[in-house]
Amino acid sequence: MKVFITREIPAIGIEILKKAGIEIEQWEEKRPLTQNELIDFCMQSDALLSAGYNNIDAYFLNKCNHLKVVSLHSVGFDNVDVAEATKLKIPVGHTPGVLNSATADIAFLLMIAVSRKAFYCYEKIKKGAWKFFEPTADLGIELEGKTVGIFGLGNIGFEMAKRCKGAYDMKVIYHNRTKNPKAEKELNAEWVSFDHLLERSDVISLHSNLSEETRGKFDRNAFQKMKRSCIFINTARGAIHNEEDLIEALEKRIIWGAGLDVTNPEPMDKNNPLLTMPSVAVLPHIGSATVEARNGMARIAAQNVIAGLNGEKLPFPVNPEIYRA
Ligand SMILES: NC(=O)c1ccc[n+]([C@@H]2O[C@H](COP(=O)([O-])OP(=O)(O)OC[C@H]3O[C@@H](n4cnc5c(N)ncnc54)[C@H](O)[C@@H]3O)[C@@H](O)[C@H]2O)c1
Ligand SMILES: O=C(O)[C@H](O)CO
């Protein structure tokens, strides 16, 4: 049995696969694979371990419908046509849980960085523009006792809410498809409608999946409903907000600031106007970039491959319905 891996992953994942006697072929180049290259490699393999947001659409899946498993080295699965995989009975695996703390830390870091214009001030020093102490310059806003609105209160959203509550005694409100009893009990979190989330939050932090329902959901209309002092944080997926509308909202001071770990497209262009705005902080999609999280992701991704190749239920399937009936 052979697995094709689309980018270097932590050694622990390779060790697990080798121990299970699985042959490994890995993409060695730094550039991303084209879809045709991906198809060519997968034609010679029984499983795919996708570690670089490859486009796993209906065309790919139908060409490679012999695959026994598509294992993602990520929790997000918006790069996969899951409905088509399910139709073709190809199990898709992902890596939930192990990156909750790492990603919530980045959301929390961005929230504080934006509230105190930290990235902008750091750039100021590097440019030699720090001349003297100015009592009225670079003023931020404090977070203590404010309201954080979590959009998508699942695993990572819960960890972000916990940090906000614990560090700043923030009031937690959230908008999610379903209520989250654990967050309501432990964090006194309150479910609110989408409009109330926009209107009541001092900080809005996105933690939902990207889907056709959430694509572009944070647009001009949504920004206009937010407080003028609102800080907008996105560590979920860049396509959940509309970038043009976000730039406009910041330029016209409709909202106060924004912190992004994800952009659309990625990478962000180095001349993007967001990169020079005082109350904006941008990071290059490093939410899960800790040793602990990445090792956990590699381990789970390898375990999903092994289960798929053995014809067993994946430990972490995205489409568990293929095992029913
Ligand atoms: N920046 C990074 O490096 C990084 C790291 C990990 C995950 N992510 C992103 O974060 C997302 C969330 O990860 P998670 O592990 O917390 O997933 P999760 O499934 O535990 O939580 C997602 C939550 O969003 C909710 N949701 C989905 N669609 C919704 C909608 N239309 N309206 C309201 N709520 C909705 C779901 O009900 C769920 O509670 C991933 O899908 C991924 O895109 C980014
Ligand atoms: O979805 C994910 O897991 C992240 O975006 C990458 O770790």
Side-chain angles (χ1 to χ4, degrees), residues 31-237:
R31 70 173 174 88
L33 287 145
T34 65
Q35 197 185 47
N36 281 339
E37 287 167 334
L38 182 64
I39 291 170
D40 287 347
F41 280 108
C42 286
M43 284 304 198
Q44 314 299 321
S45 304
D46 307 289
L48 167 64
L49 196 162
S50 166
Y53 297 99
N54 310 100
N55 179 14
I56 303 175
D57 59 7
Y59 174 75
F60 168 85
L61 290 163
N62 280 281
K63 284 269 178 199
C64 298
N65 60 11
H66 64 284
L67 288 175
K68 292 186 181 318
V69 54
V70 169
S71 173
L72 305 176
H73 191 271
S74 63
V75 68
F77 48 83
D78 47 280
N79 57 323
V80 181
D81 187 336
V82 177
E84 192 67 16
T86 305
K87 208 166 88 190
L88 295 167
K89 296 232 176 304
I90 302 174
V92 178
H94 69 151
T95 66
V98 289
L99 36 58
N100 300 344
S101 293
T103 310
D105 281 346
I106 288 296
F108 192 71
L109 178 158
L110 285 170
M111 175 179 74
I112 302 173
V114 170
S115 78
R116 301 304 299 272
K117 306 187 178 180
F119 285 30
Y120 172 76
C121 290
Y122 177 62
E123 284 300 319
K124 195 167 144 175
I125 299 173
K126 288 206 294 179
K127 280 190 219 143
W130 180 20
K131 300 291 185 200
F132 39 79
F133 182 85
E134 289 176 87
T136 57
D138 302 325
L139 302 188
I141 43 180
E142 296 187 19
L143 297 164
E144 186 70 32
K146 297 272 169 71
T147 296
V148 61
I150 307 283
F151 179 73
L153 204 153
N155 286 331
I156 300 168
F158 181 87
E159 287 301 316
M160 173 60 171
K162 192 172 89 182
R163 282 156 176 70
C164 293
K165 178 88 184 155
Y168 294 118
D169 197 21
M170 291 172 89
K171 164 79 186 157
V172 177
I173 61 176
Y174 71 101
H175 182 73
N176 199 60
R177 279 212 212 96
T178 52
K179 292 206 173 186
N180 187 316
K182 186 170 178 245
E184 298 200 357
K185 184 160 176 259
E186 293 177 18
L187 307 174
N188 201 21
E190 181 192 344
W191 186 94
V192 293
S193 67
F194 184 60
D195 274 2
H196 278 176
L197 188 95
L198 301 176
E199 287 159 13
R200 284 177 54 190
S201 302
D202 297 300
V203 176
I204 293 183
S205 192
L206 273 46
H207 300 284
S208 75
N209 319 77
L210 170 63
S211 64
E212 285 323 301
E213 252 176 88
T214 60
R215 185 178 297 279
K217 195 159 173 85
F218 288 80
D219 58 5
R220 175 183 290 163
N221 190 28
F223 292 124
Q224 269 164 352
K225 289 181 180 159
M226 294 178 192
K227 292 184 183 180
R228 290 182 87 86
S229 54
C230 186
I231 292 175
F232 174 77
I233 304 294
N234 189 357
T235 58
R237 284 289 181 266

